[in-house]
Amino acid sequence: MRYIIWLSAYLVVSWPAFTSAEMLFSDDFNQDAVDTDKWHLSFWEGGILGTTTFKESPLPEIKDGNIIITVESYNPEDGFSGDYFYGTDLKTVKLIPLTRGYVHIKVRAKMDSAIPGIVGGIFLFAFRPESMMLHDEIDFEFVTSKPDLIMTNSYSNEPLGAGHPQVAFYESGTITDYHVYEIKWETDKVSWFVDGNLIRVETKHVPAIPMEMHFNAWVPDSEWEQAYNPELHPAATADSNQIFGMIVDSIEIRTTPNLAPILYLLLEKR
């Protein structure tokens, strides 16, 4: 009984510290250039996603408090002009770990247009340490061929591929309007929200390892039939280059403590 009284008093005093969220990462993109202590490009040497190769440089432009994640129809890399689009995959320098109760990610973003055939991604990703063939991932994906929908996906110790996608309709607006996209990543489930509205809960395919946060823009091929646009082609010359992409206004990543051990102690000593 004396233990319960002591622990209860301790919790009353310490409760704000136990329950408060800790900021792991944030960026409002109000600086003149990308903060290289926070971000770098994910360059896949020799790698192709859909009909897209990815830039090794330069870093994305920041304009009016937004970072611009682009994919271009002209690819200046030797051997690629006229063959592949030139995309961007920006990722955090640091890994985002699931070390406490849950990780809460909030991103305000939109696509710059709904020209069919472009994909924009807001996602966590990491290969499993024991295998470069298996990975963990949590996605929001903008598919401009379906501007009224937002796609979510999740992988847990699985190969690259289709994964476990689901789509949800926007309650208002489309992918070209600003919305707030949130991921709540817990040890036993992942939840997705748009503008504060819950759109999906996943309990079967839940990542477990630390992951990097990515923003990307790319062009799929015909294997992704719903996203592919057969009329969208790479440009053979710089003069005919077209630029598409995603605009990100801000990101916050917080972690919230797990109170289960404290509650267990209380119940155990009853």
Side-chain angles (χ1 to χ4, degrees):
M1 184 64 175
R2 184 177 301 172
Y3 175 86
I4 294 295
I5 293 172
W6 175 86
L7 185 55
S8 299
Y10 176 75
L11 288 175
V12 168
V13 173
S14 305
W15 193 255
F18 282 131
T19 58
S20 61
E22 175 190 349
M23 184 71 75
L24 288 181
F25 182 91
S26 68
D27 204 333
D28 59 11
F29 306 112
N30 284 327
Q31 62 273 20
D32 293 332
V34 173
D35 186 342
T36 54
D37 289 333
K38 294 182 176 181
W39 301 99
H40 61 161
L41 288 170
S42 178
F43 173 63
W44 304 3
E45 187 173 357
I48 296 170
L49 179 62
T51 58
T52 309
T53 69
F54 288 95
K55 301 175 184 179
E56 187 174 9
S57 65
L59 288 164
E61 178 187 9
I62 289 180
K63 184 177 180 181
D64 300 326
N66 298 275
I67 191 166
I68 316 300
I69 309 297
T70 61
V71 58
E72 303 185 41
S73 61
Y74 175 70
N75 193 330
E77 295 295 315
D78 290 343
F80 288 130
S81 298
D83 297 320
Y84 294 99
F85 292 88
Y86 200 37
T88 303
D89 187 355
L90 186 73
K91 67 178 182 178
T92 54
V93 171
K94 295 181 179 179
L95 291 166
I96 308 301
L98 183 59
T99 56
R100 299 174 74 190
Y102 63 83
V103 172
H104 182 195
I105 298 161
K106 180 184 290 187
V107 177
R108 185 172 185 263
K110 67 176 182 177
M111 294 298 286
D112 66 354
S113 73
I115 293 175
I118 312 298
V119 175
I122 297 170
F123 61 102
L124 292 157
F125 181 99
F127 282 108
R128 287 278 175 156
E130 66 275 10
S131 171
M132 292 297 289
M133 301 298 294
L134 302 174
H135 79 297
D136 284 10
E137 185 175 349
I138 305 172
D139 292 358
F140 273 112
E141 288 186 297
F142 304 106
V143 179
T144 57
S145 301
K146 306 287 184 181
D148 297 332
L149 301 174
I150 183 68
M151 178 175 287
T152 61
N153 210 336
S154 185
Y155 305 72
S156 177
N157 198 24
E158 297 174 74
L160 300 172
H164 314 281
Q166 291 186 22
V167 297
F169 285 95
Y170 287 98
E171 291 197 1
S172 63
T174 70
I175 60 173
T176 60
D177 300 300
Y178 276 117
H179 296 277
V180 175
Y181 299 91
E182 296 176 73
I183 295 169
K184 184 179 177 181
W185 173 28
E186 303 176 71
T187 56
D188 59 349
K189 66 181 177 181
V190 180
S191 306
W192 291 259
F193 303 80
V194 176
D195 298 329
N197 301 308
L198 179 65
I199 63 168
R200 177 180 178 182
V201 176
E202 176 63 49
T203 59
K204 293 182 179 180
H205 309 283
V206 180
I209 63 173
M211 295 185 284
E212 293 155 326
M213 188 75 206
H214 291 246
F215 299 136
N216 75 3
W218 58 286
V219 179
D221 59 22
S222 58
E223 289 187 7
W224 190 356
E225 184 178 351
Q226 295 85 353
Y228 177 63
N229 178 6
E231 298 181 4
L232 188 63
H233 302 286
T237 66
D239 290 342
S240 54
N241 186 36
Q242 293 180 282
I243 301 175
F244 315 99
M246 180 173 67
I247 300 171
V248 182
D249 175 64
S250 61
I251 177 172
E252 291 184 354
I253 305 177
R254 300 176 184 269
T255 184
T256 302
N258 184 1
L259 301 180
I262 299 168
L263 297 176
Y264 173 79
L265 284 173
L266 282 171
L267 293 172
E268 187 184 46
K269 297 296 181 179
R270 285 178 59 184

PDB file of all heavy atoms in Angstrom, residues 126-158:
ATOM      1  N   ALA A 126      13.413   1.566 -45.146  1.00  0.00           N
ATOM      2  CA  ALA A 126      14.744   1.042 -44.820  1.00  0.00           C
ATOM      3  C   ALA A 126      14.831  -0.418 -45.240  1.00  0.00           C
ATOM      4  O   ALA A 126      13.864  -1.174 -45.085  1.00  0.00           O
ATOM      5  CB  ALA A 126      15.049   1.166 -43.331  1.00  0.00           C
ATOM      6  N   PHE A 127      15.989  -0.794 -45.784  1.00  0.00           N
ATOM      7  CA  PHE A 127      16.256  -2.208 -46.012  1.00  0.00           C
ATOM      8  C   PHE A 127      16.567  -2.885 -44.687  1.00  0.00           C
ATOM      9  O   PHE A 127      17.149  -2.281 -43.783  1.00  0.00           O
ATOM     10  CB  PHE A 127      17.432  -2.393 -46.968  1.00  0.00           C
ATOM     11  CG  PHE A 127      17.088  -2.172 -48.409  1.00  0.00           C
ATOM     12  CD1 PHE A 127      17.531  -1.040 -49.077  1.00  0.00           C
ATOM     13  CD2 PHE A 127      16.317  -3.100 -49.099  1.00  0.00           C
ATOM     14  CE1 PHE A 127      17.215  -0.839 -50.409  1.00  0.00           C
ATOM     15  CE2 PHE A 127      15.990  -2.909 -50.433  1.00  0.00           C
ATOM     16  CZ  PHE A 127      16.430  -1.772 -51.085  1.00  0.00           C
ATOM     17  N   ARG A 128      16.187  -4.142 -44.573  1.00  0.00           N
ATOM     18  CA  ARG A 128      16.532  -4.928 -43.395  1.00  0.00           C
ATOM     19  C   ARG A 128      18.051  -5.124 -43.335  1.00  0.00           C
ATOM     20  O   ARG A 128      18.687  -5.358 -44.369  1.00  0.00           O
ATOM     21  CB  ARG A 128      15.831  -6.283 -43.449  1.00  0.00           C
ATOM     22  CG  ARG A 128      14.327  -6.197 -43.185  1.00  0.00           C
ATOM     23  CD  ARG A 128      14.039  -6.156 -41.708  1.00  0.00           C
ATOM     24  NE  ARG A 128      12.626  -5.949 -41.414  1.00  0.00           N
ATOM     25  CZ  ARG A 128      12.071  -6.320 -40.266  1.00  0.00           C
ATOM     26  NH1 ARG A 128      12.787  -6.897 -39.323  1.00  0.00           N
ATOM     27  NH2 ARG A 128      10.786  -6.100 -40.060  1.00  0.00           N
ATOM     28  N   PRO A 129      18.640  -4.998 -42.152  1.00  0.00           N
ATOM     29  CA  PRO A 129      20.109  -5.087 -42.052  1.00  0.00           C
ATOM     30  C   PRO A 129      20.672  -6.391 -42.600  1.00  0.00           C
ATOM     31  O   PRO A 129      21.774  -6.413 -43.148  1.00  0.00           O
ATOM     32  CB  PRO A 129      20.361  -4.974 -40.544  1.00  0.00           C
ATOM     33  CG  PRO A 129      19.149  -4.324 -39.985  1.00  0.00           C
ATOM     34  CD  PRO A 129      18.006  -4.737 -40.854  1.00  0.00           C
ATOM     35  N   GLU A 130      19.926  -7.476 -42.466  1.00  0.00           N
ATOM     36  CA  GLU A 130      20.435  -8.779 -42.876  1.00  0.00           C
ATOM     37  C   GLU A 130      20.215  -9.077 -44.352  1.00  0.00           C
ATOM     38  O   GLU A 130      20.694 -10.104 -44.847  1.00  0.00           O
ATOM     39  CB  GLU A 130      19.777  -9.877 -42.027  1.00  0.00           C
ATOM     40  CG  GLU A 130      18.280 -10.039 -42.242  1.00  0.00           C
ATOM     41  CD  GLU A 130      17.418  -9.092 -41.411  1.00  0.00           C
ATOM     42  OE1 GLU A 130      17.990  -8.159 -40.799  1.00  0.00           O
ATOM     43  OE2 GLU A 130      16.190  -9.287 -41.375  1.00  0.00           O
ATOM     44  N   SER A 131      19.490  -8.165 -45.075  1.00  0.00           N
ATOM     45  CA  SER A 131      19.181  -8.469 -46.469  1.00  0.00           C
ATOM     46  C   SER A 131      18.829  -7.206 -47.229  1.00  0.00           C
ATOM     47  O   SER A 131      17.977  -6.433 -46.795  1.00  0.00           O
ATOM     48  CB  SER A 131      17.992  -9.436 -46.555  1.00  0.00           C
ATOM     49  OG  SER A 131      17.555  -9.583 -47.885  1.00  0.00           O
ATOM     50  N   MET A 132      19.489  -7.000 -48.378  1.00  0.00           N
ATOM     51  CA  MET A 132      19.139  -5.882 -49.256  1.00  0.00           C
ATOM     52  C   MET A 132      17.977  -6.242 -50.185  1.00  0.00           C
ATOM     53  O   MET A 132      17.629  -5.476 -51.079  1.00  0.00           O
ATOM     54  CB  MET A 132      20.352  -5.465 -50.080  1.00  0.00           C
ATOM     55  CG  MET A 132      21.457  -4.830 -49.266  1.00  0.00           C
ATOM     56  SD  MET A 132      20.947  -3.277 -48.464  1.00  0.00           S
ATOM     57  CE  MET A 132      20.839  -2.194 -49.877  1.00  0.00           C
ATOM     58  N   MET A 133      17.380  -7.398 -49.975  1.00  0.00           N
ATOM     59  CA  MET A 133      16.230  -7.812 -50.759  1.00  0.00           C
ATOM     60  C   MET A 133      14.918  -7.585 -50.012  1.00  0.00           C
ATOM     61  O   MET A 133      13.849  -7.562 -50.625  1.00  0.00           O
ATOM     62  CB  MET A 133      16.345  -9.297 -51.129  1.00  0.00           C
ATOM     63  CG  MET A 133      17.592  -9.641 -51.922  1.00  0.00           C
ATOM     64  SD  MET A 133      17.659  -8.789 -53.524  1.00  0.00           S
ATOM     65  CE  MET A 133      16.266  -9.559 -54.349  1.00  0.00           C
ATOM     66  N   LEU A 134      14.993  -7.426 -48.694  1.00  0.00           N
ATOM     67  CA  LEU A 134      13.795  -7.260 -47.865  1.00  0.00           C
ATOM     68  C   LEU A 134      13.836  -5.897 -47.189  1.00  0.00           C
ATOM     69  O   LEU A 134      14.911  -5.395 -46.841  1.00  0.00           O
ATOM     70  CB  LEU A 134      13.714  -8.366 -46.812  1.00  0.00           C
ATOM     71  CG  LEU A 134      13.699  -9.799 -47.348  1.00  0.00           C
ATOM     72  CD1 LEU A 134      13.761 -10.793 -46.207  1.00  0.00           C
ATOM     73  CD2 LEU A 134      12.469 -10.043 -48.224  1.00  0.00           C
ATOM     74  N   HIS A 135      12.653  -5.316 -46.985  1.00  0.00           N
ATOM     75  CA  HIS A 135      12.636  -3.968 -46.430  1.00  0.00           C
ATOM     76  C   HIS A 135      11.364  -3.724 -45.623  1.00  0.00           C
ATOM     77  O   HIS A 135      10.403  -4.494 -45.667  1.00  0.00           O
ATOM     78  CB  HIS A 135      12.740  -2.944 -47.555  1.00  0.00           C
ATOM     79  CG  HIS A 135      11.459  -2.689 -48.297  1.00  0.00           C
ATOM     80  ND1 HIS A 135      10.802  -3.659 -49.033  1.00  0.00           N
ATOM     81  CD2 HIS A 135      10.676  -1.583 -48.384  1.00  0.00           C
ATOM     82  CE1 HIS A 135       9.701  -3.141 -49.573  1.00  0.00           C
ATOM     83  NE2 HIS A 135       9.600  -1.894 -49.181  1.00  0.00           N
ATOM     84  N   ASP A 136      11.371  -2.610 -44.882  1.00  0.00           N
ATOM     85  CA  ASP A 136      10.200  -2.074 -44.194  1.00  0.00           C
ATOM     86  C   ASP A 136       9.848  -0.736 -44.832  1.00  0.00           C
ATOM     87  O   ASP A 136      10.731  -0.005 -45.293  1.00  0.00           O
ATOM     88  CB  ASP A 136      10.482  -1.858 -42.705  1.00  0.00           C
ATOM     89  CG  ASP A 136      10.479  -3.158 -41.909  1.00  0.00           C
ATOM     90  OD1 ASP A 136      10.445  -4.231 -42.525  1.00  0.00           O
ATOM     91  OD2 ASP A 136      10.532  -3.076 -40.664  1.00  0.00           O
ATOM     92  N   GLU A 137       8.549  -0.389 -44.821  1.00  0.00           N
ATOM     93  CA  GLU A 137       8.122   0.853 -45.486  1.00  0.00           C
ATOM     94  C   GLU A 137       6.719   1.220 -45.040  1.00  0.00           C
ATOM     95  O   GLU A 137       5.874   0.358 -44.814  1.00  0.00           O
ATOM     96  CB  GLU A 137       8.157   0.651 -47.012  1.00  0.00           C
ATOM     97  CG  GLU A 137       7.868   1.877 -47.833  1.00  0.00           C
ATOM     98  CD  GLU A 137       8.048   1.625 -49.325  1.00  0.00           C
ATOM     99  OE1 GLU A 137       8.591   0.569 -49.705  1.00  0.00           O
ATOM    100  OE2 GLU A 137       7.628   2.500 -50.115  1.00  0.00           O
ATOM    101  N   ILE A 138       6.464   2.534 -44.917  1.00  0.00           N
ATOM    102  CA  ILE A 138       5.122   3.081 -44.682  1.00  0.00           C
ATOM    103  C   ILE A 138       4.941   4.247 -45.635  1.00  0.00           C
ATOM    104  O   ILE A 138       5.750   5.176 -45.641  1.00  0.00           O
ATOM    105  CB  ILE A 138       4.936   3.568 -43.235  1.00  0.00           C
ATOM    106  CG1 ILE A 138       5.249   2.462 -42.224  1.00  0.00           C
ATOM    107  CG2 ILE A 138       3.511   4.091 -43.034  1.00  0.00           C
ATOM    108  CD1 ILE A 138       5.269   2.953 -40.776  1.00  0.00           C
ATOM    109  N   ASP A 139       3.869   4.235 -46.436  1.00  0.00           N
ATOM    110  CA  ASP A 139       3.689   5.211 -47.522  1.00  0.00           C
ATOM    111  C   ASP A 139       2.401   6.013 -47.438  1.00  0.00           C
ATOM    112  O   ASP A 139       1.347   5.497 -47.051  1.00  0.00           O
ATOM    113  CB  ASP A 139       3.591   4.486 -48.875  1.00  0.00           C
ATOM    114  CG  ASP A 139       4.862   3.826 -49.305  1.00  0.00           C
ATOM    115  OD1 ASP A 139       5.863   3.938 -48.600  1.00  0.00           O
ATOM    116  OD2 ASP A 139       4.837   3.197 -50.378  1.00  0.00           O
ATOM    117  N   PHE A 140       2.499   7.257 -47.908  1.00  0.00           N
ATOM    118  CA  PHE A 140       1.434   7.980 -48.587  1.00  0.00           C
ATOM    119  C   PHE A 140       1.897   8.155 -50.031  1.00  0.00           C
ATOM    120  O   PHE A 140       3.052   8.535 -50.261  1.00  0.00           O
ATOM    121  CB  PHE A 140       1.212   9.377 -48.001  1.00  0.00           C
ATOM    122  CG  PHE A 140       0.270   9.467 -46.836  1.00  0.00           C
ATOM    123  CD1 PHE A 140       0.751   9.786 -45.585  1.00  0.00           C
ATOM    124  CD2 PHE A 140      -1.094   9.258 -47.002  1.00  0.00           C
ATOM    125  CE1 PHE A 140      -0.112   9.895 -44.500  1.00  0.00           C
ATOM    126  CE2 PHE A 140      -1.965   9.366 -45.931  1.00  0.00           C
ATOM    127  CZ  PHE A 140      -1.476   9.685 -44.668  1.00  0.00           C
ATOM    128  N   GLU A 141       1.040   7.917 -51.007  1.00  0.00           N
ATOM    129  CA  GLU A 141       1.400   8.130 -52.403  1.00  0.00           C
ATOM    130  C   GLU A 141       0.323   8.927 -53.122  1.00  0.00           C
ATOM    131  O   GLU A 141      -0.866   8.598 -53.058  1.00  0.00           O
ATOM    132  CB  GLU A 141       1.634   6.798 -53.116  1.00  0.00           C
ATOM    133  CG  GLU A 141       2.925   6.116 -52.688  1.00  0.00           C
ATOM    134  CD  GLU A 141       3.225   4.876 -53.491  1.00  0.00           C
ATOM    135  OE1 GLU A 141       2.422   3.930 -53.416  1.00  0.00           O
ATOM    136  OE2 GLU A 141       4.251   4.857 -54.195  1.00  0.00           O
ATOM    137  N   PHE A 142       0.775   9.981 -53.799  1.00  0.00           N
ATOM    138  CA  PHE A 142      -0.085  10.759 -54.697  1.00  0.00           C
ATOM    139  C   PHE A 142       0.016  10.155 -56.092  1.00  0.00           C
ATOM    140  O   PHE A 142       1.123  10.024 -56.625  1.00  0.00           O
ATOM    141  CB  PHE A 142       0.372  12.213 -54.773  1.00  0.00           C
ATOM    142  CG  PHE A 142       0.444  12.926 -53.451  1.00  0.00           C
ATOM    143  CD1 PHE A 142       1.672  13.197 -52.862  1.00  0.00           C
ATOM    144  CD2 PHE A 142      -0.693  13.362 -52.813  1.00  0.00           C
ATOM    145  CE1 PHE A 142       1.757  13.877 -51.660  1.00  0.00           C
ATOM    146  CE2 PHE A 142      -0.626  14.037 -51.610  1.00  0.00           C
ATOM    147  CZ  PHE A 142       0.604  14.303 -51.031  1.00  0.00           C
ATOM    148  N   VAL A 143      -1.094   9.813 -56.673  1.00  0.00           N
ATOM    149  CA  VAL A 143      -1.127   9.280 -58.039  1.00  0.00           C
ATOM    150  C   VAL A 143      -1.945  10.257 -58.871  1.00  0.00           C
ATOM    151  O   VAL A 143      -3.165  10.346 -58.723  1.00  0.00           O
ATOM    152  CB  VAL A 143      -1.747   7.866 -58.067  1.00  0.00           C
ATOM    153  CG1 VAL A 143      -1.804   7.335 -59.492  1.00  0.00           C
ATOM    154  CG2 VAL A 143      -0.944   6.917 -57.180  1.00  0.00           C
ATOM    155  N   THR A 144      -1.263  11.012 -59.753  1.00  0.00           N
ATOM    156  CA  THR A 144      -1.960  12.098 -60.447  1.00  0.00           C
ATOM    157  C   THR A 144      -3.024  11.592 -61.420  1.00  0.00           C
ATOM    158  O   THR A 144      -3.910  12.357 -61.807  1.00  0.00           O
ATOM    159  CB  THR A 144      -0.969  12.996 -61.205  1.00  0.00           C
ATOM    160  OG1 THR A 144      -0.210  12.199 -62.130  1.00  0.00           O
ATOM    161  CG2 THR A 144      -0.031  13.691 -60.232  1.00  0.00           C
ATOM    162  N   SER A 145      -2.957  10.333 -61.816  1.00  0.00           N
ATOM    163  CA  SER A 145      -4.008   9.764 -62.658  1.00  0.00           C
ATOM    164  C   SER A 145      -5.306   9.570 -61.880  1.00  0.00           C
ATOM    165  O   SER A 145      -6.368   9.373 -62.480  1.00  0.00           O
ATOM    166  CB  SER A 145      -3.555   8.424 -63.242  1.00  0.00           C
ATOM    167  OG  SER A 145      -2.383   8.582 -64.023  1.00  0.00           O
ATOM    168  N   LYS A 146      -5.234   9.601 -60.539  1.00  0.00           N
ATOM    169  CA  LYS A 146      -6.392   9.446 -59.660  1.00  0.00           C
ATOM    170  C   LYS A 146      -6.391  10.591 -58.641  1.00  0.00           C
ATOM    171  O   LYS A 146      -6.163  10.384 -57.445  1.00  0.00           O
ATOM    172  CB  LYS A 146      -6.345   8.101 -58.930  1.00  0.00           C
ATOM    173  CG  LYS A 146      -6.202   6.881 -59.833  1.00  0.00           C
ATOM    174  CD  LYS A 146      -7.487   6.588 -60.573  1.00  0.00           C
ATOM    175  CE  LYS A 146      -7.348   5.306 -61.388  1.00  0.00           C
ATOM    176  NZ  LYS A 146      -8.589   4.987 -62.160  1.00  0.00           N
ATOM    177  N   PRO A 147      -6.638  11.830 -59.078  1.00  0.00           N
ATOM    178  CA  PRO A 147      -6.441  12.990 -58.192  1.00  0.00           C
ATOM    179  C   PRO A 147      -7.416  13.072 -57.021  1.00  0.00           C
ATOM    180  O   PRO A 147      -7.145  13.806 -56.066  1.00  0.00           O
ATOM    181  CB  PRO A 147      -6.620  14.186 -59.135  1.00  0.00           C
ATOM    182  CG  PRO A 147      -7.448  13.658 -60.268  1.00  0.00           C
ATOM    183  CD  PRO A 147      -7.035  12.232 -60.439  1.00  0.00           C
ATOM    184  N   ASP A 148      -8.538  12.354 -57.065  1.00  0.00           N
ATOM    185  CA  ASP A 148      -9.503  12.374 -55.965  1.00  0.00           C
ATOM    186  C   ASP A 148      -9.156  11.377 -54.861  1.00  0.00           C
ATOM    187  O   ASP A 148      -9.855  11.322 -53.848  1.00  0.00           O
ATOM    188  CB  ASP A 148     -10.915  12.069 -56.477  1.00  0.00           C
ATOM    189  CG  ASP A 148     -11.408  13.110 -57.460  1.00  0.00           C
ATOM    190  OD1 ASP A 148     -10.966  14.270 -57.352  1.00  0.00           O
ATOM    191  OD2 ASP A 148     -12.218  12.773 -58.336  1.00  0.00           O
ATOM    192  N   LEU A 149      -8.085  10.596 -55.061  1.00  0.00           N
ATOM    193  CA  LEU A 149      -7.731   9.525 -54.124  1.00  0.00           C
ATOM    194  C   LEU A 149      -6.348   9.757 -53.524  1.00  0.00           C
ATOM    195  O   LEU A 149      -5.476  10.349 -54.164  1.00  0.00           O
ATOM    196  CB  LEU A 149      -7.724   8.172 -54.834  1.00  0.00           C
ATOM    197  CG  LEU A 149      -9.007   7.698 -55.503  1.00  0.00           C
ATOM    198  CD1 LEU A 149      -8.736   6.414 -56.268  1.00  0.00           C
ATOM    199  CD2 LEU A 149     -10.099   7.476 -54.472  1.00  0.00           C
ATOM    200  N   ILE A 150      -6.145   9.260 -52.325  1.00  0.00           N
ATOM    201  CA  ILE A 150      -4.823   9.157 -51.739  1.00  0.00           C
ATOM    202  C   ILE A 150      -4.558   7.684 -51.460  1.00  0.00           C
ATOM    203  O   ILE A 150      -5.445   6.958 -50.986  1.00  0.00           O
ATOM    204  CB  ILE A 150      -4.683  10.006 -50.452  1.00  0.00           C
ATOM    205  CG1 ILE A 150      -3.254   9.923 -49.907  1.00  0.00           C
ATOM    206  CG2 ILE A 150      -5.697   9.586 -49.392  1.00  0.00           C
ATOM    207  CD1 ILE A 150      -2.228  10.598 -50.771  1.00  0.00           C
ATOM    208  N   MET A 151      -3.358   7.225 -51.794  1.00  0.00           N
ATOM    209  CA  MET A 151      -3.001   5.816 -51.603  1.00  0.00           C
ATOM    210  C   MET A 151      -2.100   5.666 -50.379  1.00  0.00           C
ATOM    211  O   MET A 151      -1.233   6.507 -50.132  1.00  0.00           O
ATOM    212  CB  MET A 151      -2.290   5.280 -52.841  1.00  0.00           C
ATOM    213  CG  MET A 151      -1.849   3.832 -52.718  1.00  0.00           C
ATOM    214  SD  MET A 151      -1.142   3.176 -54.259  1.00  0.00           S
ATOM    215  CE  MET A 151      -2.645   3.013 -55.241  1.00  0.00           C
ATOM    216  N   THR A 152      -2.316   4.584 -49.631  1.00  0.00           N
ATOM    217  CA  THR A 152      -1.436   4.230 -48.523  1.00  0.00           C
ATOM    218  C   THR A 152      -0.885   2.826 -48.755  1.00  0.00           C
ATOM    219  O   THR A 152      -1.489   2.021 -49.467  1.00  0.00           O
ATOM    220  CB  THR A 152      -2.182   4.271 -47.179  1.00  0.00           C
ATOM    221  OG1 THR A 152      -3.269   3.324 -47.205  1.00  0.00           O
ATOM    222  CG2 THR A 152      -2.739   5.658 -46.900  1.00  0.00           C
ATOM    223  N   ASN A 153       0.273   2.546 -48.129  1.00  0.00           N
ATOM    224  CA  ASN A 153       0.877   1.227 -48.289  1.00  0.00           C
ATOM    225  C   ASN A 153       1.771   0.942 -47.097  1.00  0.00           C
ATOM    226  O   ASN A 153       2.200   1.865 -46.390  1.00  0.00           O
ATOM    227  CB  ASN A 153       1.688   1.148 -49.581  1.00  0.00           C
ATOM    228  CG  ASN A 153       1.716  -0.246 -50.173  1.00  0.00           C
ATOM    229  OD1 ASN A 153       1.531  -1.235 -49.471  1.00  0.00           O
ATOM    230  ND2 ASN A 153       1.954  -0.329 -51.476  1.00  0.00           N
ATOM    231  N   SER A 154       2.054  -0.337 -46.887  1.00  0.00           N
ATOM    232  CA  SER A 154       2.898  -0.749 -45.773  1.00  0.00           C
ATOM    233  C   SER A 154       3.583  -2.067 -46.107  1.00  0.00           C
ATOM    234  O   SER A 154       2.994  -2.938 -46.757  1.00  0.00           O
ATOM    235  CB  SER A 154       2.057  -0.895 -44.499  1.00  0.00           C
ATOM    236  OG  SER A 154       2.862  -1.176 -43.382  1.00  0.00           O
ATOM    237  N   TYR A 155       4.835  -2.192 -45.676  1.00  0.00           N
ATOM    238  CA  TYR A 155       5.623  -3.413 -45.866  1.00  0.00           C
ATOM    239  C   TYR A 155       6.342  -3.723 -44.555  1.00  0.00           C
ATOM    240  O   TYR A 155       6.811  -2.814 -43.865  1.00  0.00           O
ATOM    241  CB  TYR A 155       6.690  -3.228 -46.938  1.00  0.00           C
ATOM    242  CG  TYR A 155       6.229  -2.765 -48.291  1.00  0.00           C
ATOM    243  CD1 TYR A 155       5.798  -1.452 -48.492  1.00  0.00           C
ATOM    244  CD2 TYR A 155       6.280  -3.615 -49.396  1.00  0.00           C
ATOM    245  CE1 TYR A 155       5.408  -1.001 -49.748  1.00  0.00           C
ATOM    246  CE2 TYR A 155       5.909  -3.171 -50.656  1.00  0.00           C
ATOM    247  CZ  TYR A 155       5.465  -1.871 -50.832  1.00  0.00           C
ATOM    248  OH  TYR A 155       5.095  -1.425 -52.076  1.00  0.00           O
ATOM    249  N   SER A 156       6.486  -4.993 -44.244  1.00  0.00           N
ATOM    250  CA  SER A 156       7.238  -5.410 -43.069  1.00  0.00           C
ATOM    251  C   SER A 156       8.071  -6.633 -43.409  1.00  0.00           C
ATOM    252  O   SER A 156       7.526  -7.723 -43.618  1.00  0.00           O
ATOM    253  CB  SER A 156       6.289  -5.733 -41.901  1.00  0.00           C
ATOM    254  OG  SER A 156       7.003  -6.201 -40.785  1.00  0.00           O
ATOM    255  N   ASN A 157       9.386  -6.426 -43.522  1.00  0.00           N
ATOM    256  CA  ASN A 157      10.316  -7.507 -43.856  1.00  0.00           C
ATOM    257  C   ASN A 157       9.893  -8.208 -45.147  1.00  0.00           C
ATOM    258  O   ASN A 157       9.810  -9.429 -45.218  1.00  0.00           O
ATOM    259  CB  ASN A 157      10.398  -8.503 -42.697  1.00  0.00           C
ATOM    260  CG  ASN A 157      11.634  -9.384 -42.772  1.00  0.00           C
ATOM    261  OD1 ASN A 157      12.637  -9.012 -43.375  1.00  0.00           O
ATOM    262  ND2 ASN A 157      11.567 -10.551 -42.161  1.00  0.00           N
ATOM    263  N   GLU A 158       9.657  -7.406 -46.184  1.00  0.00           N
ATOM    264  CA  GLU A 158       9.110  -7.905 -47.452  1.00  0.00           C
ATOM    265  C   GLU A 158       9.925  -7.390 -48.630  1.00  0.00           C
ATOM    266  O   GLU A 158      10.587  -6.355 -48.538  1.00  0.00           O
ATOM    267  CB  GLU A 158       7.659  -7.443 -47.604  1.00  0.00           C
ATOM    268  CG  GLU A 158       6.736  -7.991 -46.527  1.00  0.00           C
ATOM    269  CD  GLU A 158       5.339  -7.400 -46.638  1.00  0.00           C
ATOM    270  OE1 GLU A 158       4.610  -7.788 -47.554  1.00  0.00           O
ATOM    271  OE2 GLU A 158       4.995  -6.546 -45.795  1.00  0.00           O
TER     272      GLU A 158
END
